[in-house]
Amino acid sequence: MRTDLGVKPYKIQLVQELKPNDLPQRRIFSEWALEKLAENPLFYRQILFSDEAHFWLNGYVNKQNCRIWSEEQPEAVQELPMHPEKCTVWCGLYAGGIIGPYFFKDAVGRNVTVNGDRYRSMLTNFLLPKMEELNLVDMWFQQDGATCHTARDSMAILRENFGEQFISRNGPVSWPPRSCDLTPLDYFLWGYVKSKVYRNKPATIPALEDNISEEIRAIPAEMLEKVAQNWTFRMDHLRRSRGQHLNEIIFKK
């Protein structure tokens, strides 16, 4: 195809559809961020970005990358369970490191998804003690607009511990909706970790959790610094695009 037709393969990039009202919110956020960076070029090091992700136990087969080479169509079948097991992971990422992973579990250790009570328990019993242990002071905390994040009691915990220094829907600084392209966990961490944790095909959730923890611990500090710096470039592109998708970054060759 390259030689005969002169065409090139391109990988599909998934982005969230932006609504008309999202564009000014994204532009306003970029202007705020660039103002902070103008005041302090190292401001990006003061932001703790946060997010959750699901890791499915059967996730090691990637239909985008998997190819079966054969003289005839193999009609291969992959058997999947009706309700595959998964774990829900939270991480906080900043230029100096990663806080986490934190796996959401119930009182008897079973994997569960996130709700308001579990999120607040994570903030109070995991995140805040970790930040104190690491002596992370004068930090900004970022979260997206998930309901469990923006519930009144959750926001009260954030205001008590971060004052006006947090970024969230309904927060002192508004996080723009449908903006996974603006947080390092979505544009880097989750994809990076998921590309590695299934290589040895973990057969149990504990094995998958061990892989997740190991791969996150192995990420070099200099890589996280570059990832955080990339956020500053995205803010500049976002302002120039007036809130549109970051085509120059996401779709660059």
Side-chain angles (χ1 to χ4, degrees):
M1 296 289 283
R2 291 176 184 270
T3 304
D4 296 340
L5 301 180
V7 296
K8 301 176 183 179
Y10 291 91
K11 184 177 180 181
I12 294 173
Q13 297 283 349
L14 300 180
V15 295
Q16 288 183 286
E17 179 184 7
L18 296 175
K19 309 298 183 183
N21 290 338
D22 296 342
L23 304 184
Q25 294 184 63
R26 285 164 58 89
R27 179 179 54 79
I28 290 169
F29 178 75
S30 71
E31 292 173 347
W32 170 84
L34 290 169
E35 285 179 6
K36 300 294 288 186
L37 288 165
E39 295 170 5
N40 175 14
L42 298 181
F43 173 67
Y44 67 91
R45 293 183 177 175
Q46 294 178 248
I47 305 176
L48 178 67
F49 297 93
S50 72
D51 196 16
E52 301 95 11
H54 299 310
F55 284 73
W56 302 85
L57 188 57
N58 65 341
Y60 54 84
V61 174
N62 186 331
K63 66 181 181 181
Q64 292 188 36
N65 298 328
C66 181
R67 299 292 183 268
I68 299 175
W69 297 91
S70 174
E71 294 181 355
E72 299 179 359
Q73 182 173 332
E75 297 185 2
V77 175
Q78 180 195 2
E79 295 186 1
L80 299 176
M82 180 69 73
H83 302 290
E85 294 183 85
K86 67 179 178 182
C87 59
T88 301
V89 187
W90 178 93
C91 280
L93 184 153
Y94 64 106
I98 294 177
I99 298 178
Y102 177 91
F103 299 99
F104 286 93
K105 298 180 181 292
D106 64 14
V108 296
R110 292 175 299 195
N111 288 283
V112 292
T113 54
V114 191
N115 62 22
D117 288 340
R118 293 164 186 156
Y119 184 70
R120 289 186 286 276
S121 176
M122 183 280 297
L123 291 175
T124 303
N125 300 319
F126 178 74
L127 171 62
L128 295 174
K130 280 290 185 182
M131 292 186 69
E132 183 175 357
E133 177 185 326
L134 295 169
N135 195 31
L136 294 179
V137 297
D138 197 29
M139 295 289 288
W140 285 73
F141 180 76
Q142 178 273 336
Q143 63 176 12
D144 64 23
T147 302
C148 62
H149 297 171
T150 59
R152 181 177 59 185
D153 291 344
S154 301
M155 298 290 276
I157 292 174
L158 295 178
R159 289 188 184 279
E160 179 181 352
N161 290 277
F162 293 94
E164 297 296 297
Q165 292 191 180
F166 71 95
I167 305 164
S168 169
R169 180 169 64 87
N170 300 330
V173 176
S174 180
W175 179 253
R178 287 169 286 279
S179 293
C180 57
D181 55 339
L182 305 184
T183 170
L185 291 102
D186 276 316
Y187 68 70
F188 164 71
L189 183 65
W190 300 135
Y192 178 84
V193 174
K194 288 181 178 181
S195 72
K196 294 178 176 292
V197 297
Y198 297 107
R199 288 179 179 175
N200 65 350
K201 298 184 179 182
T204 65
I205 287 293
L208 175 59
E209 292 175 349
D210 288 343
N211 285 1
I212 294 168
S213 298
E214 181 179 343
E215 292 298 340
I216 288 176
R217 286 195 300 267
I219 298 175
E222 57 269 21
M223 180 180 289
L224 295 175
E225 171 71 20
K226 291 179 180 178
V227 168
Q229 286 180 349
N230 182 264
W231 180 80
T232 69
F233 304 146
R234 286 171 182 257
M235 293 301 100
D236 185 55
H237 282 283
L238 187 61
R239 179 176 62 179
R240 288 192 281 110
S241 71
R242 302 189 64 81
Q244 295 284 351
H245 283 307
L246 308 179
N247 293 350
E248 295 177 61
I249 294 177
I250 296 175
F251 301 111
K252 71 178 183 179
K253 297 179 181 179

